[in-house]
Amino acid sequence: MATTAQFRTCPDTGFRIHLAADKLIKWNAVTAVVFLLVGGLFGLLVALTRWPAVHLLPADLFYLALTAHGLDVLLVWIIFFEIAVLYFACSILLNSRLAAPKVAWLAYWLMLVGAVMTNIAVLRGDSSVMFTSYVPMQAAPDFYLGIILFAVGALFACFVFFGTLVIAKQEKTYEGSVPLVTFGALTAAIIAVFTIAAGAIILVPTLFWSLGYISNIDTLMYKVVWWGMGHSSQQINVAAHIAVWYALAAILFGAKPLSEKVSRGAFLLYILFLQLASAHHLLVEPGLAAEYKIFNTSYALYLAVLASMIHGLTVPGSIEAAQRKKGLTKGLYEWLRKAPWSNPSFSGLALSIIMFGFLGGISGVMMGTEQLNLITHNTTYVPGHFHATVVTGTTLAFMALAYWLVPVLWQRELVLPGLAKWQPYLFGIGMGLVSLFLMGAGTLGVPRRHWDMAFSDAAITHDFPAAAFLMMGLNGVAALIATLGGVIFILNMVGTILWGKKKEAAPAPQAAPEPQPAAAAGAYGGAGTMAVPGTFVLALVFLAAFVLYYFVNWKYLASVWGLS
Amino acid sequence: MSIFPPQKRIWWNEPVEKSEIIWIVIALVWALIMFFMMPYWHLTGDQNLSTEAYRIKPDVFAARTEAFAEKFKVGEEGETGIPVVRPPAGGDVYMLARLWEWWPVLELKKGESYRLHLSSLDWQHGFSLLPENINIQVHPDYEMVLTITPNSSGEFGVVCNEFCGIGHHTMVGKIYVKE
């Protein structure tokens, strides 16, 4: 097999690229982007409906659009792109052929058929059950079947990834240990297997229930197991986008991890603890023991949060070390000031790190605290939080990677380089504001997944303060800005693939300078390692914000009605 | 570089840079503080969610709630026909959730404690007490019992914040708290 595999050598990076892997990465990435477009537009409709002055859609279409939005962006866009990242990390980075390309194509088609099937069920209008499909609310059988097919496809793709690691090792396509980025991708794939297992355990019986073969699904048990899939799948995203952070730092700056041991140890903590936390979604359910909730929601002593805080230091730290090695040593932040802020791969990376930490990370830990969840559960604070993690964190990181990967894989130049410079700022800051306004409205109690906060046709009503209406309006404005950014991204990607100018034979890529291992920071560890004072100060600022915000919310909790 | 195998094959014996070690220690201490805040609040805080819950059939819960409402009814909420119920302080209080109402309307006394029983007759609902912003999930077949102590008076909305179908946005209840 190995001798028959076809390779080409990438003129930009020197990697040997297995042609079958090349094609699979391209198809998975393109499919991902198409679903990002579809799901993103549903998201815009949702935001425009929740903008009280606009109130675009009628109630039934609003709930339909919201179900489709969650499904297409949270599940389909992200997982298709992650499969592309997995194949990239195991075959291109290891100079290896991809194991079993036919299985990989089967995986692709299963995922595509599943995604389309579930979309049809939702668009038909009889399955507006939201992404979470809590029983006893029932969707049509093909809604569940589509998700199951999609998940089985993703599982096959993970097996192709594991198989490729094995044959790369056997065929000695690399020396020593796998690269850190591949290790991070491995973390994501391991979590994915657990995630898909949990999904199968709950969705297969739910499918039979919707077909009438099972009479009853316990509502509480459904949530416990469903969130074993629902929450863990967000942890796949975290592991994958942090692997992408490390990859971008290496591609853009020749950065190497400050310490392989620490960064890999942090990924190991993810494998051990990050997938615990399904109880984040069960903190105000009836009858669950406080001990279980505390242990589970904190990932056992917050060890996964510890891991994220480590990555939060080491990714920018590795960039700082590389920049200082190149002579940008003035003061604390010359390395940061003189970073390529007009390169969308860098600005996307920087915004992704900052907003994932400050907006997504801090809010997630706060509302995942057992008692503090009482004052946030099911308000718009929740979508505010996860738009910071999944959109400004994961999606922005993937966009940043795509600005480098698409021109390299297709050997074409970006069609709209001028707009690309602005795109991460429009999309990132727009979505960052969406997060902030949703969280702000949530602290005033505005419910998520709700068509009419004015309660205009309700028998009994509740008056939200004017500030709550204002924030939902501003959320709509911010969503428009982000949509503009999203459209520019998609135009750039699709345009580049279809009409981009073919690269010259020996290009000097602007966006992605050829990483020179020799020119990067020398030996790491001990005296040879650069100190990273700038990053360390930024980390302390983050910690101060975290501590302050955390205790402000305890203070707020202490003021509400007594509960025991 | 992170996209290539580690430069040194024996990477796990490399010493770790000082700022990393300091940060790991700081982050670990903070993680432990956050962890122990939760049991600490169970010991000292006034806002902890009850874990008392029972399995119950929807018709049984409906019957109990109706008996409760009939016994302590003091009026009706506007034109809605929904009873306003004033239970004695310290007693058991029932509120049921169904498509698409919270029933009945309650009238409580500030500073007194009540054992509130919550359950759903059909789908899942979200009990969101506003503007306090206390949010509790309500399941069918499970009866949750929690002790509430209003510390402020006035008119409070109970908004459903778990999606429950096409009439979800009309599902609002009321609790009055008198001085």
Side-chain angles (χ1 to χ4, degrees):
Chain A
M1 270 291 284
T3 50
T4 61
Q6 301 282 306
F7 287 87
R8 68 176 170 89
T9 300
C10 174
D12 288 353
T13 61
F15 282 120
R16 279 171 78 234
I17 301 177
H18 182 203
L19 293 183
D22 186 36
K23 198 170 172 191
L24 277 156
I25 293 169
K26 286 175 177 171
W27 276 89
N28 277 285
V30 167
T31 311
V33 170
V34 170
F35 278 97
L36 175 65
L37 173 67
V38 175
L41 291 176
F42 279 121
L44 179 66
L45 295 176
V46 169
L48 291 179
T49 306
R50 294 223 62 174
W51 182 344
V54 178
H55 213 211
L56 185 69
L57 297 179
D60 56 343
L61 287 181
F62 168 74
Y63 294 124
L64 184 155
L66 188 50
T67 306
H69 170 59
L71 205 72
D72 284 335
V73 282
L74 197 55
L75 200 68
V76 186
W77 138 251
I78 288 184
I79 304 240
F80 264 115
F81 199 87
E82 277 164 354
I83 301 302
V85 170
L86 286 186
Y87 293 162
F88 169 76
C90 69
S91 80
I92 295 185
L93 290 186
L94 296 182
N95 286 309
S96 172
R97 68 189 171 90
L98 193 73
K102 281 184 182 152
V103 177
W105 280 110
L106 175 66
Y108 172 82
W109 285 108
L110 278 171
M111 287 169 66
L112 186 60
V113 168
V116 170
M117 184 184 280
T118 302
N119 265 287
I120 290 172
V122 172
L123 294 176
R124 217 168 42 216
D126 61 0
S127 298
S128 298
V129 294
M130 303 293 132
F131 178 60
T132 45
S133 58
Y134 288 153
V135 299
M137 185 179 283
Q138 198 173 58
D142 46 345
F143 175 89
Y144 306 106
L145 184 62
I147 297 176
I148 292 169
L149 291 179
F150 184 85
V152 170
L155 188 64
F156 285 178
C158 290
F159 289 148
V160 170
F161 172 80
F162 296 132
T164 306
L165 292 187
V166 171
I167 61 172
K169 186 92 190 163
Q170 276 174 354
E171 293 171 5
K172 297 196 171 51
T173 62
Y174 64 97
E175 294 275 316
S177 305
V178 297
L180 178 61
V181 172
T182 308
F183 190 78
L186 174 62
T187 304
I190 290 173
I191 297 176
V193 172
F194 280 90
T195 302
I196 294 167
I201 290 170
I202 196 62
L203 285 175
V204 171
T206 306
L207 168 65
F208 285 114
W209 168 72
S210 77
L211 287 167
Y213 296 117
I214 293 178
S215 63
N216 181 48
I217 302 260
D218 184 88
T219 57
L220 202 50
M221 182 212 58
Y222 176 92
K223 280 179 112 161
V224 171
V225 185
W226 194 93
W227 281 110
M229 171 186 72
H231 201 89
S232 305
S233 65
Q234 306 321 308
Q235 319 299 16
I236 307 172
N237 304 341
V238 174
H241 84 230
I242 289 176
V244 168
W245 288 355
Y246 279 113
L248 284 167
I251 290 161
L252 295 166
F253 298 98
K256 62 194 316 182
L258 295 175
S259 151
E260 293 276 354
K261 184 162 46 180
V262 169
S263 294
R264 285 168 199 248
F267 275 122
L268 186 64
L269 285 176
Y270 278 169
I271 300 176
L272 296 177
F273 299 108
L274 194 59
Q275 50 199 316
L276 260 181
S278 71
H280 281 172
H281 306 264
L282 305 163
L283 295 174
V284 297
E285 311 293 308
L288 294 176
E291 293 84 351
Y292 159 74
K293 290 195 275 193
I294 290 174
F295 181 80
N296 185 296
T297 197
S298 66
Y299 313 96
L301 303 171
Y302 286 107
L303 294 178
V305 174
L306 171 68
S308 290
M309 288 174 74
I310 292 172
H311 291 306
L313 180 86
T314 58
V315 175
S318 69
I319 294 174
E320 179 174 0
Q323 290 276 77
R324 283 179 185 275
K325 191 76 183 174
K326 287 174 196 152
L328 300 171
T329 52
K330 253 187 252 151
L332 275 180
Y333 293 115
E334 192 192 14
W335 64 274
L336 191 56
R337 275 200 315 277
K338 296 200 173 158
W341 289 97
S342 59
N343 177 343
S345 286
F346 175 74
S347 55
L349 168 66
L351 290 171
S352 171
I353 295 173
I354 293 167
M355 291 198 281
F356 179 76
F358 278 87
L359 296 180
I362 293 177
S363 65
V365 171
M366 189 285 274
M367 73 176 183
T369 302
E370 191 212 354
Q371 294 92 342
L372 294 177
N373 190 253
L374 279 164
I375 53 175
T376 54
H377 176 77
N378 267 359
T379 65
T380 55
Y381 194 91
V382 179
H385 154 72
F386 67 69
H387 279 77
T389 55
V390 179
V391 191
T392 66
T394 306
T395 299
L396 199 52
F398 288 178
M399 286 176 171
L401 181 68
Y403 279 114
W404 174 78
L405 194 62
V406 167
V408 164
L409 281 185
W410 272 270
Q411 283 299 304
R412 287 172 188 271
E413 283 166 26
L414 277 184
V415 281
L416 303 167
L419 284 175
K421 283 180 192 168
W422 294 98
Q423 190 274 334
Y425 298 99
L426 280 174
F427 185 77
I429 293 172
M431 280 321 291
L433 290 173
V434 164
S435 290
L436 279 172
F437 291 131
L438 286 176
M439 287 195 263
T443 61
L444 297 172
V446 176
R448 68 184 291 200
R449 297 173 165 177
H450 197 279
W451 179 66
D452 182 18
M453 64 186 284
F455 306 108
S456 41
D457 53 351
I460 300 178
T461 63
H462 170 75
D463 294 328
F464 280 108
F469 284 90
L470 178 66
M471 277 196 263
M472 292 310 287
L474 290 171
N475 170 61
V477 176
L480 280 172
I481 298 171
T483 305
L484 186 61
V487 167
I488 293 174
F489 171 76
I490 289 164
L491 282 179
N492 239 324
M493 291 301 125
V494 175
T496 301
I497 291 165
L498 295 180
W499 306 294
K501 208 172 103 205
K502 281 275 180 195
K503 287 198 182 187
E504 302 289 317
Q510 299 260 308
E514 156 75 38
Q516 294 291 343
Y524 48 84
T529 307
M530 294 286 161
V532 288
T535 305
F536 195 75
V537 170
L538 287 177
L540 291 178
V541 170
F542 171 77
L543 182 74
F546 197 166
V547 172
L548 194 69
Y549 187 72
Y550 181 76
F551 283 112
V552 162
N553 279 283
W554 279 106
K555 179 97 183 135
Y556 170 29
L557 177 74
S559 73
V560 306
W561 288 13
L563 297 166
S564 59
Chain B
M1 288 206 319
S2 311
I3 54 171
F4 295 129
Q7 216 167 342
K8 298 197 174 166
R9 282 195 80 127
I10 312 296
W11 49 266
W12 52 88
N13 282 343
E14 295 290 317
V16 177
E17 209 264 321
K18 207 162 112 193
S19 51
E20 275 194 296
I21 295 178
I22 299 171
W23 179 245
I24 292 170
V25 172
I26 292 174
L28 182 63
V29 169
W30 174 235
L32 292 174
I33 291 172
M34 290 194 297
F35 179 82
F36 286 107
M37 262 315 281
M38 291 186 282
Y40 170 77
W41 198 260
H42 274 278
L43 297 174
T44 64
D46 290 330
Q47 294 81 13
N48 286 291
L49 189 62
S50 155
T51 55
E52 187 180 347
Y54 305 92
R55 282 193 173 275
I56 192 162
K57 293 267 173 253
D59 51 341
V60 176
F61 190 78
R64 282 186 202 168
T65 308
E66 277 155 23
F68 157 79
E70 198 170 332
K71 193 165 169 191
F72 301 113
K73 179 175 170 179
V74 292
E76 286 188 354
E77 172 70 17
E79 306 288 298
T80 62
I82 298 175
V84 177
V85 179
R86 188 194 300 152
D92 286 286
V93 179
Y94 290 80
M95 186 180 269
L96 63 77
R98 65 183 158 210
L99 302 172
W100 288 284
E101 64 174 357
W102 297 98
W103 194 95
V105 170
L106 300 174
E107 188 183 308
L108 308 178
K109 202 157 182 276
K110 184 181 162 187
E112 299 290 345
S113 293
Y114 300 84
R115 272 169 59 83
L116 174 63
H117 298 241
L118 289 173
S119 188
S120 163
L121 302 192
D122 34 59
W123 289 348
Q124 289 186 44
H125 298 284
F127 174 94
S128 180
L129 182 76
L130 296 172
E132 286 298 290
N133 209 358
I134 292 172
N135 305 284
I136 294 165
Q137 191 81 16
V138 182
H139 284 247
D141 300 330
Y142 287 92
E143 177 186 25
M144 187 172 190
V145 187
L146 59 154
T147 302
I148 56 168
T149 312
N151 60 8
S152 47
S153 59
E155 196 180 316
F156 297 86
V158 179
V159 170
C160 180
N161 69 4
E162 182 58 72
F163 172 64
C164 57
I166 193 70
H168 167 52
H169 57 274
T170 64
M171 184 168 167
V172 184
K174 265 281 123 86
I175 295 180
Y176 295 98
V177 178
K178 301 273 153 122
E179 283 289 338

Coordinates of all heavy atoms in Angstrom, one line a residue, chain A residues 112-144:
Chain A
L112 N -22.5 13.7 5.6 CA -23.2 14.7 4.7 C -24.7 14.2 4.7 O -25.6 15.1 4.8 CB -22.6 14.7 3.4 CG -23.2 15.7 2.4 CD1 -23.1 17.1 3.0 CD2 -22.6 15.6 1.0
V113 N -24.9 12.9 4.5 CA -26.3 12.5 4.4 C -27.0 12.7 5.7 O -28.2 13.2 5.7 CB -26.3 10.9 4.0 CG1 -27.7 10.4 4.2 CG2 -25.8 10.7 2.6
G114 N -26.4 12.4 6.8 CA -27.0 12.7 8.1 C -27.3 14.1 8.3 O -28.4 14.5 8.7
A115 N -26.4 15.0 7.9 CA -26.6 16.4 8.1 C -27.8 16.9 7.3 O -28.7 17.7 7.7 CB -25.4 17.2 7.8
V116 N -27.9 16.5 6.0 CA -28.9 16.9 5.1 C -30.3 16.3 5.6 O -31.3 17.0 5.7 CB -28.6 16.4 3.7 CG1 -29.8 16.7 2.8 CG2 -27.4 17.2 3.2
M117 N -30.3 15.1 6.1 CA -31.5 14.4 6.6 C -32.1 15.2 7.7 O -33.3 15.5 7.8 CB -31.2 13.0 7.0 CG -32.4 12.2 7.4 SD -31.9 10.5 8.0 CE -31.7 9.7 6.4
T118 N -31.2 15.5 8.7 CA -31.7 16.3 9.9 C -32.2 17.7 9.5 O -33.2 18.2 10.0 CB -30.7 16.3 11.0 OG1 -30.3 15.0 11.3 CG2 -31.2 17.0 12.2
N119 N -31.5 18.3 8.5 CA -31.9 19.6 8.1 C -33.3 19.6 7.4 O -34.1 20.4 7.6 CB -30.9 20.2 7.1 CG -29.9 21.1 7.8 OD1 -30.3 22.2 8.2 ND2 -28.7 20.6 8.0
I120 N -33.5 18.5 6.6 CA -34.8 18.4 6.0 C -35.9 18.2 7.0 O -37.0 18.9 6.9 CB -34.8 17.2 5.0 CG1 -33.9 17.6 3.8 CG2 -36.2 16.9 4.5 CD1 -33.7 16.4 2.8
A121 N -35.6 17.4 8.0 CA -36.6 17.2 9.1 C -37.0 18.5 9.8 O -38.1 18.8 10.0 CB -36.1 16.2 10.1
V122 N -35.9 19.3 10.0 CA -36.2 20.6 10.7 C -36.9 21.6 9.8 O -37.9 22.2 10.1 CB -34.9 21.2 11.1 CG1 -35.1 22.6 11.7 CG2 -34.2 20.4 12.2
L123 N -36.5 21.6 8.5 CA -37.1 22.6 7.6 C -38.6 22.2 7.2 O -39.4 23.1 6.9 CB -36.3 22.7 6.3 CG -34.9 23.3 6.5 CD1 -34.1 23.3 5.2 CD2 -35.0 24.7 7.0
R124 N -38.9 20.9 7.4 CA -40.3 20.5 7.1 C -41.2 21.1 8.2 O -42.4 21.2 8.0 CB -40.3 19.0 7.3 CG -41.2 18.3 6.3 CD -40.9 16.8 6.4 NE -40.7 16.3 7.7 CZ -39.8 15.3 8.0 NH1 -39.1 14.7 7.0 NH2 -39.7 14.9 9.2
G125 N -40.7 21.5 9.3 CA -41.4 22.2 10.4 C -42.0 21.3 11.5 O -42.6 21.8 12.4
D126 N -41.7 20.0 11.4 CA -42.3 19.1 12.4 C -41.3 18.7 13.5 O -41.5 17.8 14.3 CB -43.0 17.9 11.8 CG -42.0 17.0 11.1 OD1 -40.8 17.4 11.0 OD2 -42.4 16.0 10.5
S127 N -40.1 19.3 13.4 CA -39.0 18.9 14.3 C -38.3 20.1 14.9 O -37.1 20.2 15.1 CB -38.0 18.0 13.6 OG -38.6 16.8 13.2
S128 N -39.1 21.2 15.3 CA -38.5 22.3 15.9 C -38.4 22.1 17.4 O -39.1 22.6 18.2 CB -39.4 23.6 15.6 OG -39.5 23.8 14.3
V129 N -37.5 21.2 17.7 CA -37.3 20.8 19.1 C -36.0 21.4 19.7 O -35.6 21.0 20.8 CB -37.3 19.3 19.2 CG1 -38.6 18.7 18.8 CG2 -36.2 18.7 18.4
M130 N -35.4 22.3 19.0 CA -34.1 22.8 19.4 C -33.0 21.8 19.3 O -33.3 20.6 19.2 CB -34.1 23.3 20.9 CG -35.1 24.4 21.2 SD -34.7 25.9 20.3 CE -36.3 26.2 19.6
F131 N -31.8 22.3 19.3 CA -30.6 21.4 19.2 C -30.6 20.3 20.2 O -30.2 19.2 20.0 CB -29.4 22.3 19.3 CG -28.1 21.6 19.3 CD1 -27.7 20.9 18.1 CD2 -27.2 21.7 20.3 CE1 -26.5 20.2 18.1 CE2 -26.0 21.0 20.3 CZ -25.7 20.3 19.1
T132 N -31.1 20.6 21.4 CA -31.1 19.7 22.6 C -32.2 18.7 22.6 O -32.0 17.6 23.2 CB -31.2 20.5 23.9 OG1 -32.3 21.4 23.8 CG2 -29.9 21.2 24.2
S133 N -33.2 18.9 21.8 CA -34.4 17.9 21.7 C -34.7 17.2 23.0 O -34.9 16.0 23.0 CB -34.1 16.9 20.6 OG -32.9 16.2 20.9
Y134 N -35.0 18.0 24.1 CA -35.3 17.4 25.3 C -36.6 16.7 25.3 O -37.7 17.2 24.8 CB -35.5 18.5 26.4 CG -34.2 19.2 26.9 CD1 -34.2 20.5 27.3 CD2 -33.0 18.5 26.8 CE1 -33.1 21.1 27.8 CE2 -31.8 19.1 27.3 CZ -31.9 20.4 27.7 OH -30.7 21.0 28.1
V135 N -36.6 15.4 25.7 CA -37.9 14.7 25.8 C -38.7 15.2 27.0 O -38.1 15.8 27.9 CB -37.6 13.2 26.1 CG1 -36.8 12.6 24.9 CG2 -36.9 12.9 27.4
P136 N -40.0 15.1 27.0 CA -40.8 14.4 26.1 C -41.3 15.1 24.8 O -42.2 14.7 24.1 CB -42.1 14.0 27.0 CG -42.1 15.1 28.0 CD -40.7 15.6 28.2
M137 N -40.6 16.2 24.5 CA -40.9 16.9 23.3 C -40.4 16.0 22.1 O -39.2 15.6 22.2 CB -40.3 18.3 23.2 CG -40.6 19.1 22.1 SD -39.8 20.7 22.2 CE -40.8 21.5 23.4
Q138 N -41.1 15.8 21.1 CA -40.7 14.7 20.1 C -40.5 15.3 18.7 O -41.3 16.1 18.3 CB -41.8 13.6 20.1 CG -41.2 12.4 19.5 CD -42.3 11.2 19.6 OE1 -43.4 11.4 19.1 NE2 -41.9 10.2 20.3
A139 N -39.4 14.9 18.1 CA -39.2 15.2 16.7 C -39.5 14.0 15.8 O -39.7 12.9 16.3 CB -37.7 15.6 16.5
A140 N -39.5 14.3 14.5 CA -39.7 13.2 13.6 C -38.5 12.2 13.7 O -37.4 12.6 14.0 CB -39.9 13.7 12.2
P141 N -38.8 10.9 13.4 CA -37.6 9.9 13.5 C -36.4 10.3 12.7 O -35.3 10.1 13.1 CB -38.3 8.6 12.9 CG -39.7 8.8 13.2 CD -40.0 10.2 13.0
D142 N -36.6 10.9 11.5 CA -35.4 11.2 10.6 C -34.6 12.3 11.2 O -33.4 12.4 10.9 CB -35.8 11.5 9.2 CG -37.0 12.5 9.1 OD1 -37.7 12.7 10.1 OD2 -37.2 13.1 8.0
F143 N -35.1 13.1 12.1 CA -34.3 14.1 12.9 C -33.2 13.4 13.7 O -32.0 13.7 13.6 CB -35.2 14.9 13.8 CG -34.5 15.9 14.7 CD1 -34.2 17.2 14.3 CD2 -34.1 15.5 16.0 CE1 -33.6 18.1 15.1 CE2 -33.4 16.4 16.8 CZ -33.2 17.7 16.3
Y144 N -33.6 12.4 14.4 CA -32.7 11.6 15.3 C -31.8 10.8 14.4 O -30.6 10.7 14.6 CB -33.4 10.8 16.3 CG -34.4 11.5 17.2 CD1 -35.7 11.3 17.0 CD2 -33.9 12.4 18.2 CE1 -36.7 12.0 17.7 CE2 -34.8 13.0 18.9 CZ -36.2 12.9 18.7 OH -37.1 13.6 19.5

